Amino acid sequence: MQSQRFYPPAHFSNAAHIKTLSEYTERYQESIQNPDAFWAREAQRLTWIRPWDTVRDVDFHDVRIRWFAGGQLNVAYNCVDRHVQRGLGQRTAIIWEGNEPGQSRKISYQELQSQIEHFAAALRGLGVKKGDRVCIFMQMIPELPVAMLACARLGAVHSVVFGAFSAESLRDRINDSCCKILITQDTGVRGNKQDIPMKAKGDLALRETPSIEKVIVVKRTGATIAMQSGRDIYLHDLLAEAPPSCPAEPMDAEDPLFILYTSGSTGKPKGVLHTTGGYLLHTALTHELVFDYRPEDIYWCTADLGWVTGHSYIIYGPLCNAATTVIYEGVPNYPDFSRFWQIIEKYKVNLFYTAPTALRALMREGDGWPGQCDLSSLRLLGSVGEPIKAPEWLWYHHMIGQGRCPIVDTWWQTETGGILISPLPGATPTKPGSATLPFFGVEPVLLDPSGKELHGEASGLLCLKSAGPGQMRTVYGDHERFKQTYFSQFPGYYFTGDGARRDEDGYYWITGRVDDVLNVSGHRIGTAEVEGAIGMTAGVAEAAVVGFPHDLKGQGIYAFVTPMQGIHGSTDLEKAIKESVRQHIGSHATPDKVQFTHGLPKTRSGKIMRRILRKIAENEPDAIGDISTLADPSVVESLIAERK
Ligand code: 7RM
């Protein structure tokens, strides 16, 4: 089937950074054939304290990734100070839109610089220095980016933990990287929830985190919370005692910038480590070219700062480019389904970047909500987090972009630091559902399961031969695990965990994960973690978790659970299972469906055949195929009969 094509409007291309497909192709070729020259030129957009010795030292066999070695710079200086020095101090850096309509704050670059310096000075006063790890557990409030950038200013490594994670998840993340400080807030507000216990969750986590010395608490709501004397201190009290200024620490290009935990198919979440020079260059360059960012644009990415999209495309990329970036505390449907569109109208947002899961939820509520808002400021729309399918792509195009705005469907991962496959909006014709072509410096390949490279039109496992300067450098504290996870299946290639198809035009269509990682409303969840949490429920013998297609979430979580001998699969047990997942992981990982069963489909050697469970969960029993290798083939029949 020939899919519909959408060409960049002429008025857009004429003014764009990259205006034609041949211009894209030319620069792409250069980036692959002569990467040193390409990246050395692009790196001029950053302000370096000391120039680099070597542009690139990358080897996917030995698994060594180094960019701009010998160079020195500071990320906070690049994102803020230098703009102020160039006379942009009065430009708005951050527009903060609170949960309640009418509640907002604008922070200029000048103000942001003062706040970062002051916060950094306060951290320094607590003994934080270059290389120390600082955990940040907050909702979307202005103090969160200030805290991140204060860490970057000092050379401390931040580890932001998404606010919905449980106390246990927070504890494990703090311990894995031995954080010295926790920065949190009293309570949070999001949609109808007016008292999300942040500090209280922190307190629970901190019962078992020997490395934490101090807790900094931002007063967001003024709720009464417990403060442990000697350990906990309110930010405003700390700032009252701290000097106003703090120099930016010169950092090596390969010094760590942050750790962000992400789920894989096995084991505990991995601490993805990103470094200073390459990461900042990749996020700044992609932010400029993929969103066709121009000075004075109002840019809004709706992601949460607890995920990589928030790090790279709310904070680091946009601020490095001196953009005005919107940060929204609330949810898309509060107080009603027009909120996103109201915010676009209110701030005259030009560039809007969101996730398919949000689009599906809003699309379902009808055209009246966007219809009542003035969306004429929009120039470009972006999508990230999961495959965007034709219906929501077309709705986005017609209803939100009013047929005028190119859509960039951007494929990337926590591990890649920034966008790797995406249209360039002035140059690349788009097809709904395809992320199209690789960004500069990125060489995607499709492999068959034996590791053979597929050419031309093909479907296979998406791997990378090269990934540009923003790619993760290691798993924090465990380089062996980094090699094992990403480079061992196919030596010499980085394996993404995704499957993809390449069409007759060389366009990539990401089909989703081929490993045991789920994508639920754009949240990445490992099935092994959910199974572990279910297994800790009293009365549960065994659990297997798979994904199933979900209208709103993209994927839902389907749990098959075997109760202990003599225990019945009751609604009480189901409740306890869900509670256990919330307690051990967080509310975003709660199973949508729980099916009790007396047995799971296993091979004679005892391996659970997830392929079969997936087909049952997807309600495609006819596609189950051969079950003769099962120890007890009869379980399949009862699983199908009792499907939820
Ligand atoms: C940025 C982010 C990564 C996984 C990735 C894919 C899926 C992300 C797209 C997509 C199809 C896209 N980081 N994914 N973007 N699939 N089209 N445009 O989401 O680490 O949280 O998730 O998300 O499966 O491997 S992440």
Side-chain angles (χ1 to χ4, degrees):
M1 193 192 76
Q2 192 68 28
S3 50
Q4 207 180 347
R5 270 164 223 252
F6 291 80
Y7 291 90
H11 66 84
F12 192 100
S13 294
N14 291 340
H17 290 292
I18 310 279
K19 298 176 169 54
T20 62
L21 198 58
S22 57
E23 197 182 326
Y24 156 77
T25 310
E26 207 173 290
R27 284 183 66 177
Y28 177 75
Q29 293 302 344
E30 190 213 348
S31 76
I32 302 302
Q33 281 152 16
N34 200 351
D36 283 23
F38 180 92
W39 290 108
R41 194 180 61 233
E42 290 302 337
Q44 304 294 341
R45 65 180 57 233
L46 305 183
T47 303
W48 298 82
I49 299 166
R50 182 188 184 281
W52 56 88
D53 301 320
T54 323
V55 174
R56 184 173 165 276
D57 175 17
V58 177
D59 185 331
F60 278 7
H61 284 279
D62 287 352
V63 190
R64 187 181 65 247
I65 306 168
R66 289 160 55 83
W67 286 80
F68 305 108
Q72 285 194 330
L73 72 167
N74 181 280
V75 167
Y77 177 86
N78 271 275
C79 286
V80 185
D81 301 49
R82 62 172 180 153
H83 307 322
V84 176
Q85 287 167 10
R86 269 190 302 159
L88 299 177
Q90 297 316 308
R91 182 182 286 183
T92 302
I94 292 173
I95 298 177
W96 179 74
E97 169 80 4
N99 187 55
E100 290 308 318
Q103 187 176 38
S104 67
R105 265 168 74 183
K106 285 190 179 170
I107 304 171
S108 70
Y109 272 94
Q110 175 67 67
E111 289 163 339
L112 185 59
Q113 176 178 352
S114 308
Q115 290 177 21
I116 293 165
E117 281 210 49
H118 201 182
F119 204 129
L123 284 172
R124 198 162 68 154
L126 295 179
V128 176
K129 54 186 190 316
K130 183 171 178 167
D132 286 345
R133 276 80 58 213
V134 172
C135 181
I136 304 179
F137 183 63
M138 292 167 84
Q139 299 286 336
M140 299 276 283
I141 59 175
E143 289 82 356
L144 171 45
V146 173
M148 291 165 73
L149 288 156
C151 288
R153 189 169 189 90
L154 288 176
V157 184
H158 60 69
S159 166
V160 179
V161 176
F162 179 52
F165 273 115
S166 67
E168 285 184 27
S169 295
L170 176 60
R171 174 199 66 195
D172 292 348
R173 284 159 174 74
I174 289 171
N175 288 337
D176 184 76
S177 44
C178 294
C179 297
K180 200 166 170 178
I181 305 278
L182 172 68
I183 306 173
T184 187
Q185 63 189 79
D186 44 10
T187 62
V189 287
R190 240 170 89 80
N192 286 315
K193 297 195 202 111
Q194 299 293 322
D195 53 356
I196 303 168
M198 302 298 290
K199 170 65 164 60
K201 248 198 226 178
D203 286 337
L204 274 179
L206 263 47
R207 288 181 186 170
E208 297 168 300
T209 55
S211 60
I212 292 285
E213 294 168 9
K214 296 280 178 202
V215 179
I216 302 174
V217 184
V218 177
K219 202 174 226 179
R220 165 62 183 91
T221 61
T224 311
I225 49 162
M227 294 289 279
Q228 184 177 311
S229 85
R231 186 194 72 179
D232 305 347
I233 180 157
Y234 276 110
L235 178 66
H236 56 264
D237 291 331
L238 190 63
L239 291 177
E241 315 248 293
S245 65
C246 177
E249 185 74 24
M251 301 297 288
D252 288 343
E254 281 298 336
D255 277 336
L257 176 63
F258 67 84
I259 299 166
L260 188 58
Y261 286 85
T262 197
S263 296
S265 48
T266 54
K268 287 198 173 252
K270 295 176 285 278
V272 168
L273 185 85
H274 284 292
T275 58
T276 299
Y279 171 82
L280 190 63
L281 175 56
H282 186 79
T283 53
L285 181 64
T286 47
H287 174 259
E288 180 173 280
L289 299 185
V290 172
F291 301 107
D292 195 48
Y293 169 75
R294 282 194 248 138
E296 324 267 294
D297 271 340
I298 308 292
Y299 165 86
W300 181 23
C301 165
T302 69
D304 195 287
L305 284 165
W307 304 112
V308 74
T309 307
H311 284 58
S312 300
Y313 296 109
I314 297 179
I315 305 301
Y316 290 117
L319 293 184
C320 190
N321 292 335
T324 299
T325 185
V326 177
I327 298 183
Y328 171 44
E329 184 181 33
V331 294
N333 61 356
Y334 181 85
D336 64 40
F337 287 96
S338 69
R339 188 64 186 279
F340 271 13
W341 323 128
Q342 299 283 358
I343 294 173
I344 290 172
E345 173 178 312
K346 179 172 174 189
Y347 298 116
K348 300 193 168 47
V349 171
N350 307 109
L351 315 173
F352 179 63
Y353 191 29
T354 194
T357 187
L359 294 175
R360 284 192 300 270
L362 295 170
M363 180 170 100
R364 195 174 71 156
E365 302 302 322
D367 297 348
W369 299 109
Q372 59 176 258
C373 298
D374 178 2
L375 303 178
S376 60
S377 59
L378 287 172
R379 204 157 64 74
L380 170 133
L381 304 172
S383 172
V384 62
E386 51 179 321
I388 177 167
K389 300 200 187 67
E392 58 259 27
W393 197 103
L394 292 169
W395 185 76
Y396 205 19
H397 178 76
H398 293 299
M399 206 48 224
I400 308 305
Q402 299 165 337
R404 176 185 73 239
C405 306
I407 295 181
V408 289
D409 174 3
T410 63
W411 175 86
W412 58 293
Q413 309 178 299
T414 306
E415 292 88 337
T416 69
I419 295 165
L420 293 197
I421 302 182
S422 169
L424 293 184
T428 319
T430 52
K431 306 181 193 181
S434 172
T436 76
L437 300 168
F439 188 73
F440 303 138
V442 179
E443 284 179 284
V445 292
L446 298 179
L447 303 185
D448 75 6
S450 75
K452 190 164 73 71
E453 258 190 55
L454 303 169
H455 297 281
E457 276 181 66
S459 285
L461 304 168
L462 180 63
C463 294
L464 304 169
K465 252 200 270 199
S466 57
Q471 198 195 6
M472 75 183 283
R473 301 302 196 254
T474 192
V475 170
Y476 184 79
D478 196 348
H479 195 62
E480 222 17 73
R481 190 168 176 208
F482 179 52
K483 290 185 183 177
Q484 198 56 37
T485 309
Y486 303 100
F487 297 92
S488 67
Q489 298 88 339
F490 307 112
Y493 297 98
Y494 167 89
F495 177 42
T496 65
D498 281 325
R501 179 169 74 82
R502 190 170 44 222
D503 72 11
E504 67 279 9
D505 295 316
Y507 278 31
Y508 288 87
W509 299 72
I510 313 298
T511 47
R513 304 290 303 197
V514 295
D515 53 7
D516 294 317
V517 173
L518 306 181
N519 192 328
V520 179
S521 300
H523 299 162
R524 193 168 144 173
I525 296 166
T527 52
E529 286 171 74
V530 183
E531 286 165 4
I534 295 175
M536 283 186 252
T537 320
V540 168
E542 195 174 28
V545 166
V546 296
F548 71 98
H550 188 289
D551 284 351
L552 285 182
K553 300 180 177 183
Q555 263 188 319
I557 302 181
Y558 199 119
F560 296 90
V561 178
T562 317
M564 302 267 203
Q565 262 322 321
I567 305 270
H568 281 284
S570 59
T571 42
D572 279 349
L573 184 54
E574 179 172 338
K575 269 193 208 138
I577 285 168
K578 291 183 175 172
E579 187 43 43
S580 180
V581 174
R582 276 192 284 270
Q583 186 198 326
H584 295 296
I585 306 176
S587 51
H588 59 295
T590 314
D592 299 276
K593 294 185 184 184
V594 176
Q595 178 175 345
F596 292 107
T597 168
H598 66 274
L600 293 166
K602 292 186 185 175
T603 61
R604 281 182 210 103
S605 60
K607 269 189 90 171
I608 296 174
M609 300 270 291
R610 293 160 177 290
R611 176 178 62 80
I612 294 175
L613 294 174
R614 239 174 262 136
K615 289 298 165 203
I616 295 169
E618 288 165 5
N619 201 15
E620 289 181 15
D622 297 339
I624 286 175
D626 184 22
I627 56 168
S628 60
T629 56
L630 292 182
D632 174 12
S634 76
V635 295
V636 174
E637 215 170 293
S638 61
L639 281 169
I640 295 171
E642 287 154 27
R643 183 181 178 276
K644 283 254 173 157

